[in-house]
Amino acid sequence: MDRPTVADGAALWRIAKDSKVLDLNSSYSYLLWCRDFAATSAVARDGRGEPIGFVSGYLRPDSPRTLLVWQVAVDEAHRGRGLAASLLDGLVARTAAEHAVDTVETTITPGNTASERLFTAFAERHGALLEREVLFDAGQFPDGSHDPEVLYRIGPLAH
């Protein structure tokens, strides 16, 4: 696991696109993310050094000890091996050491059981409370075709 670079942006976009679950952002946004938020993101690589999974995140400007996890995705050929959990654990450990992060937040749409399990298990592994509340309801999205986003707040983390 390491920090993504701009050269990884295209692969991260492809992994997100192929997930068929994530909201796909523009390819440009993945390039920017790899440049501007590499310190709060992580990428897993195969034996050839190619990205096979990632976690993207950022520190909340009004709560700099909170890591907001934006997206988690693993290439289909590498799923089911605990890679997402390892990436998440590694990223949180790094941001805790570098930025004193003590809380993790993410949003999950109802029915995304893989993400629900990932973050519920993360909270259990770290002995942290898990709170859920609707952050954005379906009516707040301008295109009208988006499910609600439920905020998962995990913390305080034991270090």
Side-chain angles (χ1 to χ4, degrees):
M1 179 192 83
D2 62 0
R3 297 169 197 240
T5 67
V6 171
D8 297 323
L12 273 52
W13 177 84
R14 179 193 54 78
I15 292 168
K17 179 177 180 272
D18 291 349
S19 78
K20 297 180 178 48
V21 177
L22 296 176
D23 285 339
L24 185 64
N25 300 293
S26 70
S27 57
Y28 174 67
S29 70
Y30 290 87
L31 295 171
L32 279 176
W33 202 279
C34 289
R35 184 191 78 162
D36 293 343
F37 297 104
T40 53
S41 298
V43 63
R45 301 179 188 283
D46 64 14
R48 299 182 323 259
E50 296 298 317
I52 58 171
F54 72 91
V55 176
S56 57
Y58 63 88
L59 300 180
R60 297 232 358 244
D62 62 345
S63 183
R65 292 179 63 179
T66 298
L67 175 68
L68 186 291
V69 175
W70 182 262
Q71 291 187 318
V72 179
V74 174
D75 186 79
E76 187 174 19
H78 299 276
R79 291 184 192 147
R81 302 177 192 171
L83 188 56
S86 293
L87 278 166
L88 184 58
D89 284 348
L91 177 59
V92 172
R94 177 171 21 106
T95 57
E98 295 175 359
H99 303 284
V101 162
D102 62 7
T103 304
V104 172
E105 291 183 348
T106 195
T107 62
I108 302 173
T109 56
N112 183 342
T113 55
S115 288
E116 291 168 350
R117 286 182 188 142
L118 175 66
F119 285 93
T120 299
F122 174 85
E124 290 171 1
R125 277 194 311 280
H126 294 275
L129 295 174
L130 169 59
E131 299 173 332
R132 297 173 188 89
E133 66 182 86
V134 173
L135 181 63
F136 303 119
D137 66 41
Q140 291 178 283
F141 291 92
D143 58 7
S145 62
H146 200 290
D147 289 330
E149 289 283 351
V150 177
L151 177 69
Y152 281 52
R153 182 177 297 111
I154 301 166
L157 301 173
H159 296 297

